[in-house]
Amino acid sequence: MVPAVNPPTTSHHVAVIGAGAAGLVAARELRREGHSVVVFERGNQIGGVWAYTPNVEPDPLSIDPTRPVIHSSLYSSLRTIIPRECMGFTDFPFLTRLENRSRDPRRHSSHSEVLAYLRDFAREFKIEEMIRFETEIVRVEQAGENPKKWRVKSRNFGDISDEIYDAVVVCNGHYTEPRHALIPGIDTWPGKQIHSHNYRVPEQVKDQVVVVIGSSVSGVDISRDIANVTKEVHISSRSTKPETYEKLPGYDNLWLHSNIETVREDGSVVFKNGKTVYADTIMHCTGYKYYFPFLDTKGEVTVEDNRVGPLYKHVFPPALSPGLSFIGLPWQVIPFPMFELQSKWVAAVLTGRVSLPSLEEMMEDTKMFYSKLEASCIPKRYTHLMAELDSQFVYDNWLADQCDYPRIEKWREQMFYKVFKRIQSQSSTYKDDWDDDHLIAEAYEDFVKFPSNYPSSLIEREYTS
Ligand code: FAD
């Protein structure tokens, strides 16, 4: 029998932008595949969004383009939406650590526990040695003399570096550049406005009447966070019927309304349901924009109405592949395992172990995807939203198949469905009250495959009993 001959593979010099969860796992996968990696991180620590800071930007709406940017958008009380068993990387479970009593054992843990987990991950896989901290990427473009290479300019305080890389992997996150609601009459409305990016603690709005725009999980979470110290909280939702006016359970000062119709000079806020409130503050929980101020692709990649495109499978711009790629764009997903699978794919494509289709085929696939969205009346801004519950797992499994890696575990999928249902049916208690212990037990049976630096005696067994 003639032995199978593997195609020749090539290692590359790769720049990774950002040392959040996506950049960390991208660096690990790229190095595992044999590439040499430099991770550029403008902050002074790893963790990205999870590196909570009490500091906020001076412009509470974050509109001024010259403002000093604070990266993290987390508020002090934030606990994870996704349960920890589900949330971790596939081969480095996000377990409770018993040896250190400062760690948070809860299933939906505090943000500091997620940061501690990411630090464990970085330590275990020696990722910090690849990172240049306090080094901001200021420009990325194809190298003029050789368009297959990338010119990467970075700034470390006053020093500018100009280097050439074979590939650039963009992992700069997408929860820092706020989107705002357009509100009729807002120019003369006398109250305060703030975007949730700059919300940290309830005391910021103590004793006030607050209108929160947006009824996403974060909007509702923040509304509950402030309801205990404010006079009233009124959530304005664009996804309810115009006549909606409901008191939300568990509070006597928290209401759900339809959209805002207008705001007026006298401080009033009029909702489409006909109700009027006099508010001190409007809080925009209206999400974020994809933003790549450093990237110059001569128009090959654009951001239009929050669609980053054209991108093959949300990762590779066909005309610039495989040298440029993006990790972490899809949302309403379990992020870490998806980052991991996207990173494995990018790393394997760069070595040549896995091939991409031709430029024409990738363009065709991307165009078909966009046509499908249009035919289903899904706006451009939802291009990267994995809205249907199972679409992220179809996507994850497609990535896994490309790399010959195991598909997403059934328990993880089911746990995600379960938490989504719980958020809808018990939005104020879902983080502490659950009915999927059998899935937790299944997860822990899988986790013993990855002992890593977690001696079994230190694993919190509470959930498996
Ligand atoms: P980030 O964590 O944002 O990291 C990007 C990094 O890039 C940052 O460190 C930044 O400093 C760096 N950077 C940016 N620009 C540059 C530049 N020009 N040069 C150099 N460095 C740069 N996910 C969950 O799994 N579970 C949850 O419960 C959950 N809750 C969330 C709640 C909120 C309020 C928010 C905002 C997000 C939540 N997420 C949650 C999603 C979270 O964003 C992802 O889990 C994940 O951490 C994103 O990682 P990232 O690496 O893509 O981006």
Side-chain angles (χ1 to χ4, degrees):
M1 210 168 92
V2 183
V5 179
N6 290 326
T9 58
T10 322
S11 65
H12 290 290
H13 190 40
V14 186
V16 171
I17 305 175
L24 294 174
V25 74
R28 184 187 74 166
E29 298 304 331
L30 287 160
R31 188 168 59 185
R32 275 181 168 172
E33 196 74 27
H35 303 294
S36 77
V37 183
V38 177
V39 181
F40 293 87
E41 171 50 57
R42 69 179 169 191
N44 61 6
Q45 59 174 316
I46 64 142
V49 150
W50 297 103
Y52 171 80
T53 167
N55 300 332
V56 293
E57 295 176 4
D59 165 11
L61 281 175
S62 300
I63 290 173
D64 178 358
T66 63
R67 72 195 190 277
V69 172
I70 301 279
H71 186 80
S72 182
S73 298
L74 298 191
Y75 37 98
S76 173
S77 69
L78 182 134
R79 291 171 61 192
T80 66
I81 299 162
I82 302 175
R84 61 192 309 149
E85 308 85 24
C86 214
M87 193 171 148
F89 296 113
T90 64
D91 59 358
F92 192 77
F94 183 13
L95 302 176
T96 303
R97 304 291 298 254
L98 274 184
E99 80 280 24
N100 183 343
R101 286 288 157 194
S102 70
R103 298 287 291 257
D104 179 354
R106 290 174 296 178
R107 200 177 177 209
H108 292 264
S109 78
S110 61
H111 51 77
S112 59
E113 175 69 9
V114 183
L115 182 61
Y117 165 74
L118 290 174
R119 285 184 176 150
D120 288 343
F121 179 81
R123 193 177 314 112
E124 171 72 13
F125 297 102
K126 301 186 174 45
I127 294 168
E128 286 213 358
E129 64 194 33
M130 293 183 261
I131 305 177
R132 289 190 204 159
F133 287 106
E134 298 184 310
T135 308
E136 179 173 13
I137 295 292
V138 290
R139 196 167 176 84
V140 170
E141 61 189 338
Q142 283 171 290
E145 59 284 8
N146 182 351
K148 289 218 153 142
K149 303 252 177 193
W150 290 85
R151 178 176 294 278
V152 174
K153 279 194 191 164
S154 60
R155 182 173 48 218
N156 170 249
F157 299 101
D159 294 338
I160 301 276
S161 292
D162 189 341
E163 296 164 287
I164 300 293
Y165 286 84
D166 298 310
V168 175
V169 182
V170 180
C171 307
N172 68 329
H174 50 88
Y175 293 104
T176 296
E177 197 61 29
R179 288 161 65 92
H180 302 93
L182 295 172
I183 310 170
I186 197 68
D187 289 346
T188 55
W189 187 74
K192 288 186 211 135
Q193 291 185 73
I194 171 176
H195 190 278
S196 56
H197 176 58
N198 295 308
Y199 169 70
R200 296 292 181 269
V201 288
E203 287 64 34
Q204 285 174 251
V205 287
K206 191 166 186 283
D207 298 329
Q208 296 186 11
V209 174
V210 181
V211 169
V212 170
I213 304 181
S215 59
S216 65
V217 179
S218 287
V220 173
D221 207 32
I222 291 177
S223 300
R224 290 186 195 284
D225 200 34
I226 61 178
N228 290 323
V229 305
T230 48
K231 267 196 217 145
E232 293 169 14
V233 182
H234 299 269
I235 303 175
S236 153
S237 169
R238 68 174 172 195
S239 47
T240 59
K241 291 192 181 131
E243 63 276 16
T244 302
Y245 176 60
E246 287 169 24
K247 200 168 210 181
L248 293 182
Y251 297 83
D252 56 12
N253 63 346
L254 179 55
W255 287 269
L256 179 69
H257 299 256
S258 48
N259 259 345
I260 295 176
E261 173 88 38
T262 189
V263 294
R264 300 203 180 109
E265 272 177 57
D266 61 0
S268 58
V269 175
V270 183
F271 295 94
K272 288 232 157 82
N273 59 14
K275 301 284 172 198
T276 297
V277 301
Y278 288 83
D280 301 290
T281 295
I282 292 179
M283 171 111 62
H284 295 246
C285 294
T286 39
Y288 295 87
K289 298 176 198 163
Y290 296 100
Y291 189 52
F292 311 100
F294 48 81
L295 192 56
D296 181 359
T297 61
K298 309 277 180 285
E300 291 292 353
V301 183
T302 59
V303 184
E304 276 174 36
D305 191 18
N306 239 18
R307 167 184 292 172
V308 187
L311 290 185
Y312 177 60
K313 308 289 183 199
H314 305 277
V315 173
F316 287 110
L320 301 175
S321 64
L324 184 67
S325 56
F326 295 79
I327 305 291
L329 300 189
W331 52 285
Q332 225 170 81
V333 296
I334 311 178
F336 295 7
M338 190 198 70
F339 298 167
E340 187 182 351
L341 292 167
Q342 288 181 323
S343 300
K344 283 181 191 296
W345 186 41
V346 168
V349 165
L350 283 174
T351 40
R353 199 167 58 77
V354 169
S355 307
L356 288 176
S358 69
L359 168 62
E360 293 71 28
E361 284 165 335
M362 286 192 279
M363 279 309 290
E364 193 50 38
D365 183 277
T366 309
K367 273 190 201 151
M368 266 172 56
F369 172 55
Y370 294 161
S371 306
K372 246 173 139 177
L373 294 178
E374 214 172 298
S376 316
C377 300
I378 295 174
K380 261 189 189 172
R381 65 177 184 278
Y382 291 153
T383 298
H384 306 291
L385 166 65
M386 300 266 163
E388 290 158 41
L389 276 179
D390 60 354
S391 69
Q392 70 161 313
F393 300 112
V394 171
Y395 176 70
D396 284 348
N397 289 336
W398 182 89
L399 290 166
D401 291 351
Q402 296 302 299
C403 312
D404 219 1
Y405 191 73
R407 290 180 155 209
I408 290 291
E409 310 88 330
K410 280 287 162 214
W411 60 259
R412 199 185 294 263
E413 226 175 278
Q414 287 166 12
M415 213 179 256
F416 183 78
Y417 295 144
K418 283 266 182 195
V419 76
F420 236 80
K421 273 200 184 140
R422 278 205 302 281
I423 291 172
Q424 275 143 18
S425 64
Q426 42 172 107
S427 68
S428 58
T429 58
Y430 76 95
K431 292 183 182 172
D432 295 303
D433 183 10
W434 58 80
D435 60 356
D436 55 352
D437 282 316
H438 61 294
L439 295 176
I440 301 174
E442 270 184 55
Y444 273 73
E445 271 166 35
D446 258 8
F447 292 164
V448 291
K449 284 192 294 206
F450 306 109
S452 186
N453 65 337
Y454 288 90
S456 57
S457 59
L458 296 179
I459 295 175
E460 176 65 86
R461 288 275 158 203
E462 161 188 346
Y463 299 127
T464 59
S465 55

